[in-house]
Amino acid sequence: MNILWVYAHPEARSLNGSLRDAALKRLRADGHTVEQSDLYAMQWNPVVTAEDYAHDPTERFQVATASSTALAAGTLAPDIVAEQQKLLRADAVVLQFPLWWFSMPAIMKGWVDRVFVEGFGYGIRASDGSTRRYGDGMLAGQRAMVVVTMGGSEHTVSPRGINGDLDEMLYPIQHGILFYTGMSVLPPVLVASADRMAESDYAAAESELLQRVKSLHTEEPIPYRTQSGGDYDRRFVLRTDVEAGDTGMRVHTAP
């Protein structure tokens, strides 16, 4: 497989850095091709600007329109194009980051904001004019997985934990970015209590991560409901006979 590993941590000697290094070593030893976007090391610019699209500064800056125009004209900033090419080459994409304020670090969100432009990440049209998303899209056929560390204990992100369920916490990333663009999303890898980890705890975390990356191409993805699978009505609302009476993020995952 061709694997793109997108990594966001400011310290290469961190727990995240050690886990990343071990995973990439294992993937390469198993014969996979690995590309990496180490966002802090790259000094990635996370801020969307008109310069990204060679947009005329005298004209009003409408981000979506300007980005799709630049994509079609071949005038996207070179750093954006380079990341898009990595994505297009990938069979699987891994996002690794520490959980900061219940989400990804700003630099990784900025990578998504700048790279997934209209016509590439969203706004993809089918031949009938409908929008391709949620299980379909330019990145359909690829696999994706989130690797996340957190300082809190694992039970705090259980279904009844005070921080909320991990799958719901990651829903905007896993469902709203990765699945939206067409990728099949694997269950996340969580490394909890990251700031008070003993050597034996690290060994267990590394072992779990290595097992998960070994099965990147075979593991069953999260069964999110696809837009075109028949579960939604013409307004993209779940049919009344699907999970009747239930609401919330969990209803968009098939039992």
Side-chain angles (χ1 to χ4, degrees):
M1 298 176 70
N2 294 316
I3 297 164
L4 172 60
W5 198 283
V6 187
Y7 173 80
H9 196 287
E11 175 54 74
R13 297 165 296 182
S14 64
L15 169 67
N16 270 279
S18 296
L19 291 170
R20 181 266 318 266
D21 293 346
L24 298 192
K25 181 179 179 181
R26 171 59 57 85
L27 287 167
R28 290 180 175 126
D30 288 345
H32 302 292
T33 300
V34 181
E35 289 192 276
Q36 184 184 181
S37 291
D38 184 340
L39 300 180
Y40 281 96
M42 294 162 59
Q43 298 185 324
W44 176 262
N45 170 26
V47 181
V48 172
T49 66
E51 287 74 22
D52 284 346
Y53 315 128
H55 179 72
D56 183 349
T58 65
E59 299 291 332
R60 181 185 174 195
F61 182 36
Q62 295 178 293
V63 174
T65 301
S67 68
S68 61
T69 299
L71 178 67
T75 57
L76 286 172
D79 60 341
I80 295 175
V81 174
E83 296 305 297
Q84 290 178 342
Q85 291 302 311
K86 290 180 186 178
L87 277 165
L88 292 175
R89 287 192 292 268
D91 299 306
V93 178
V94 177
L95 304 184
Q96 182 188 356
F97 56 90
L99 193 69
W100 288 354
W101 288 109
F102 296 85
S103 188
M104 58 176 68
I107 197 169
M108 181 171 281
K109 179 55 164 60
W111 180 81
V112 173
D113 290 345
R114 295 186 66 222
V115 174
F116 287 70
V117 301
E118 184 176 46
F120 185 89
Y122 67 99
I124 311 298
R125 301 294 177 184
S127 58
D128 61 1
S130 62
T131 301
R132 297 175 56 192
R133 59 190 172 191
Y134 294 120
D136 192 12
M138 184 170 288
L139 303 180
Q142 296 185 3
R143 297 183 143 237
M145 185 172 73
V146 168
V147 177
V148 62
T149 60
M150 60 176 282
S153 302
E154 187 170 4
H155 57 261
T156 67
V157 290
S158 64
R160 291 175 59 84
I162 192 170
N163 290 324
D165 181 69
L166 179 67
D167 289 331
E168 294 192 355
M169 189 184 304
L170 297 177
Y171 186 85
I173 299 168
Q174 296 186 145
H175 186 270
I177 298 172
L178 302 174
F179 186 64
Y180 185 101
T181 58
M183 299 186 202
S184 297
V185 185
L186 306 182
V189 177
L190 171 66
V191 180
S193 303
D195 58 351
R196 52 185 181 278
M197 184 171 285
E199 283 190 28
S200 59
D201 299 322
Y202 174 80
E206 181 184 287
S207 177
E208 179 190 358
L209 177 60
L210 296 184
Q211 287 298 316
R212 292 295 306 282
V213 298
K214 193 173 184 66
S215 61
L216 264 177
H217 61 299
T218 58
E219 187 173 1
E220 285 295 316
I222 300 169
Y224 289 133
R225 301 181 191 276
T226 63
Q227 176 178 278
S228 59
D231 290 336
Y232 298 94
D233 63 22
R234 301 176 86 177
R235 303 169 301 155
F236 304 114
V237 176
L238 274 180
R239 298 193 334 261
T240 56
D241 60 315
V242 178
E243 303 288 346
D246 205 355
T247 60
M249 297 175 187
R250 63 183 176 274
V251 302
H252 301 292
T253 304

